[in-house]
Amino acid sequence: MHPTSRPKRSAVRRRAETAPQRSRRAQEPNQRRKSILDAALDEFAARGFAAARLDDVARRAQVAKGTIYLYFRDKESLFQELVRSMLSPLIAAIESAATREVPVRTLCELIADTFVCEIYGTRRKDVLRLIITEGPRFPELAEFYYREVIARVLPVMRKRLNLAVSRGELRHDALARFPQLLVAPALTAIVWSGLFERFAPLDVRELMRAHLDLIFGAAS
Amino acid sequence: MHPTSRPKRSAVRRRAETAPQRSRRAQEPNQRRKSILDAALDEFAARGFAAARLDDVARRAQVAKGTIYLYFRDKESLFQELVRSMLSPLIAAIESAATREVPVRTLCELIADTFVCEIYGTRRKDVLRLIITEGPRFPELAEFYYREVIARVLPVMRKRLNLAVSRGELRHDALARFPQLLVAPALTAIVWSGLFERFAPLDVRELMRAHLDLIFGAAS
Amino acid sequence: MHPTSRPKRSAVRRRAETAPQRSRRAQEPNQRRKSILDAALDEFAARGFAAARLDDVARRAQVAKGTIYLYFRDKESLFQELVRSMLSPLIAAIESAATREVPVRTLCELIADTFVCEIYGTRRKDVLRLIITEGPRFPELAEFYYREVIARVLPVMRKRLNLAVSRGELRHDALARFPQLLVAPALTAIVWSGLFERFAPLDVRELMRAHLDLIFGAAS
Amino acid sequence: MHPTSRPKRSAVRRRAETAPQRSRRAQEPNQRRKSILDAALDEFAARGFAAARLDDVARRAQVAKGTIYLYFRDKESLFQELVRSMLSPLIAAIESAATREVPVRTLCELIADTFVCEIYGTRRKDVLRLIITEGPRFPELAEFYYREVIARVLPVMRKRLNLAVSRGELRHDALARFPQLLVAPALTAIVWSGLFERFAPLDVRELMRAHLDLIFGAAS
DNA sequence: TATGAATGAGGATTCATTCAT
DNA sequence: CATGAATGAATCCTCATTCAT
């Protein structure tokens, strides 16, 4: 049995024929879609794509199972649209941040802060973790993420970091050559929290600060 | 077979006489177990735990479906034992490496090299990726990894890094406070390779080298 | 379906367009439940619990395999609910019969008639046979039967029989001490019919009558 | 899951290559056969035919699984031969008893005593219970029992009882017409013990005595 | 003969998806 | 649009039976 075991639902079907007409059309279509996505995030995050059940998503979203199919073609579409919709607002934010005209250290601090506040402290952390855990079996998703996030941010960062190197803001070009090193701790924090939170919680803010110290020297 | 009225199974079961007498008992038991684990790694790595089919594992291992159950209690056991068996030899190696009496930079280079050659270049990379992707739904697995790897290595590294700080080998205590920062690029490389290899392969050796440059300053 | 490389299930699944549109939602839920129980009784009676296949139950009930699980948690639940639901109406009947204010011989004749008409001549015979044959491996079932039937009827009968003894309606207290003796022939008939009907059918009505003769003396 | 649940066996195969050559050929072939039958009775009695596992039979009999197939064609043969071999000695005994030249009450007491001591108090009770519980799905077995036991004993008993009626030893011919009534309490005791022993143990000796009282009047 | 590892058909159960209402 | 009962393909796991040793 899969380890994160789920309580067996009773098979008894109560078919109250007089059931009080529960709020059909109570919500806007958009609101419905939203609540399905919300529920989906909870379920996918808790169980992973394969083990999540649309039944549970529907229950959590307070809609019928069939309703999900009015908004999403199938389970996979739901998953992909979920990830995409959560990512979109982030992408703009990251992109604009990356082009700020500030010292590189400030920029990196900004990025770190954004990560801590806007991602790690929110459900977006779950979305990123889903990309990490499910991405390998969802080539399309990985591609989407690469195209929309990585491919946009990486060159900008690389350029900015190269500039910093040439200006002497950075001691060497390691970061410019591998901007991945800049976000590695963020990724590590997400993975760590999913695996070891119970045993050894991580102070992410401090982790990010330490990382910046490592790169730029201790904060003044 | 139960007697009443259903066709005798034995009549159905008799193997086609022309079947190519495929090697029963061809290998020793340990070899069988090994080939099952091998096949399992392939399947789990390719599809993830939930989507992998024991049928495919059996086919790949050239054994019958039932044979798997002679060696492993169930799918989950197979998965867990797979991870554990692949990790065990690594644990000793890491531990001994961590206690080497060498300058801290040398130690870190050693670790990086070991990662590149012994993990990233081998199937062990897949095992680590499985821990990352499946760990969140396998608390036992996460705990095993924490207990056997993290909990052993982290304190040793922390002590060693603190010593380095006090000796002036390191400019500041960021790494000592968060040894996770030391391995973050390795983790990042594993995640990256699972998601973006197709779009942008990563030169891990260079990545690790750059990371060390970042920490210790450019190599002389 | 999991995305990677396996053929999309949906492609496989699309029902043949020429399939004879067989009555979905044709019956009301209670009718469905009933037809599943009906089919289950047939199958369990014919093969026993272990050898009965839910596949056959579904086919016989004209529902899909999965439908069974909408109404019953699992095979065992189906079996137990089957027995319980068939027994319930009987329990009330027996109880009310046992408390009738009539001469003890009349009472016993009434019980015998009820057995012959309401049990032996109906599918309830199969239910009782199932209790006999499967009860030893279904402690819960045996307990249910003991609690709901035996424990209710036995004391009442014992009291009534003792009264009959004290009134001189019975020649001795054998029956009062072991009311089981009163129903032993009924049980025997059920067992006999399951084993030897083919070789030597039993005239149950006569058997019961003979039994009463044995107890009370030949009928006048 | 079947209710009489079985502890999951560990899937770990310990293949001690140096295992101490355990008593091959330690026993006579007949002894082996006997110990297999013994073990089979235990397992079939405990779980029923379908749920009993030859694995367990083999373990209990201290032989290898394959060895069973040297002595019995298949599971069903084992079961049938088990029942037959346990029944054979009984048949002769019953037959000779039935032809004894004693008063009919004495004869019935003898039969009752034999039942209590030779069947109910021994493993033969389990055999009879197996006939009752498994017979319906084993037409051959039911036929065997009918042919070897019922068809031999019933006519003899009927004749003897008719004689008793004509001699005035019996008040009426109920028993002669339905000799089943004579054994009904024995059968009831076997069924009862399998189902309700836990809740209400039955004093079989007293039950049989009471039954005889019922038939012949209270003992002098 | 005896062994027990290997086999693979069989069957219970799950759950994404459909569609009559 | 919304519902949720119904569907049935998919897959895990069991265990009677075989056969190389």
Side-chain angles (χ1 to χ4, degrees), chain C residues 86-113:
Chain C
M86 296 287 290
L87 241 37
S88 304
L90 208 64
I91 293 170
I94 293 174
E95 241 178 342
S96 78
T99 52
R100 286 280 194 83
E101 269 302 335
V102 291
V104 80
R105 168 148 202 172
T106 310
L107 176 60
C108 291
E109 281 169 351
L110 202 67
I111 292 174
D113 278 357

Side-chain angles (χ1 to χ4, degrees), chain C residues 105-157:
Chain C
R105 168 148 202 172
T106 310
L107 176 60
C108 291
E109 281 169 351
L110 202 67
I111 292 174
D113 278 357
T114 306
F115 172 72
V116 171
C117 300
E118 300 297 320
I119 296 175
Y120 196 86
T122 71
R123 308 177 86 207
R124 280 196 268 267
K125 173 174 64 177
D126 295 324
V127 177
L128 289 191
R129 190 182 294 121
L130 278 174
I131 293 174
I132 292 168
T133 57
E134 304 293 344
R137 347 271 173 226
F138 282 88
E140 279 179 68
L141 192 63
E143 185 180 352
F144 172 79
Y145 190 76
Y146 184 79
R147 191 159 25 82
E148 300 297 321
V149 181
I150 307 290
R152 289 190 191 185
V153 175
L154 216 61
V156 174
M157 284 309 298

Side-chain angles (χ1 to χ4, degrees), chain A residues 92-174:
Chain A
I94 292 174
E95 238 176 345
S96 79
T99 52
R100 288 279 196 84
E101 271 302 335
V102 291
V104 80
R105 167 147 203 171
T106 309
L107 176 61
C108 290
E109 281 170 350
L110 202 65
I111 291 174
D113 278 357
T114 305
F115 171 73
V116 171
C117 300
E118 300 297 318
I119 295 176
Y120 196 86
T122 71
R123 307 176 85 206
R124 279 196 269 267
K125 173 174 64 175
D126 295 324
V127 176
L128 289 190
R129 190 183 294 124
L130 278 173
I131 293 173
I132 292 168
T133 57
E134 305 292 345
R137 348 272 176 223
F138 284 88
E140 283 179 63
L141 192 64
E143 185 179 353
F144 171 80
Y145 190 76
Y146 184 79
R147 189 159 28 81
E148 301 297 321
V149 180
I150 308 289
R152 289 191 192 184
V153 175
L154 215 61
V156 175
M157 283 308 299
R158 186 171 279 132
K159 187 180 297 179
R160 183 68 190 79
L161 290 164
N162 271 321
L163 188 66
V165 171
S166 68
R167 280 178 184 168
E169 288 179 293
L170 284 170
R171 283 188 298 265
H172 39 64
D173 65 350

Side-chain angles (χ1 to χ4, degrees), chain D residues 13 25 32 64-67 70-71:
Chain D
R13 301 283 133 169
R25 300 301 308 271
R32 289 216 137 194
K65 206 163 15 146
T67 304
L70 297 176
Y71 293 90

